[in-house]
Amino acid sequence: AKSQVLYIEGYLWDQPHAKEAIRKAVDAAKKKGRKVALTLSDTFCVERHRADFFDLIRSSVDILFSNENEIKSLFEETTYETASWQAKGLCP
């Protein structure tokens, strides 16, 4: 709760206990007015957790880290420009 930014590693979403811990950490951070950052980790991680990542991004993520392939995978787009434009609409 004292940190400026909570950083979430997308790979951790694979583990049920980690997913629960992440949700609790996000709630604690948001209650204290802190920012939440998420890294998508890799395209396979995005494909496994696309719906959950979208929910998390829409509700809580302020900073989204990804490479070109990860963001294209998240939005199921073929161009970086289109995918990154859509990401700007989800989080600051």
Side-chain angles (χ1 to χ4, degrees):
K2 293 182 180 180
S3 67
Q4 294 296 313
V5 179
L6 170 66
Y7 180 80
I8 302 166
E9 176 61 58
Y11 284 123
L12 295 176
W13 208 257
D14 285 327
Q15 303 297 320
H17 295 319
K19 189 185 303 188
E20 182 180 335
I22 289 168
R23 287 184 172 134
K24 287 180 181 180
V26 167
D27 287 343
K30 288 300 178 178
K31 284 179 183 172
K32 294 293 184 173
R34 308 303 187 214
K35 293 193 181 294
V36 173
L38 170 68
T39 180
L40 294 178
S41 299
D42 73 34
T43 56
F44 299 113
C45 191
V46 172
E47 290 169 11
R48 287 190 304 273
H49 304 293
R50 184 176 285 112
D52 283 342
F53 283 175
F54 267 122
D55 289 343
L56 184 63
I57 293 165
R58 282 187 193 111
S59 67
S60 304
V61 172
D62 302 291
I63 304 165
L64 181 62
F65 290 98
S66 73
N67 65 30
E68 183 174 332
N69 290 328
E70 293 161 357
I71 201 73
K72 289 189 316 186
S73 178
L74 180 67
F75 289 99
E76 298 179 283
E77 291 289 347
T78 57
T79 68
Y80 170 77
E81 291 75 18
T82 303
S84 64
W85 181 80
Q86 290 183 51
K88 290 177 186 178
L90 287 182
C91 64

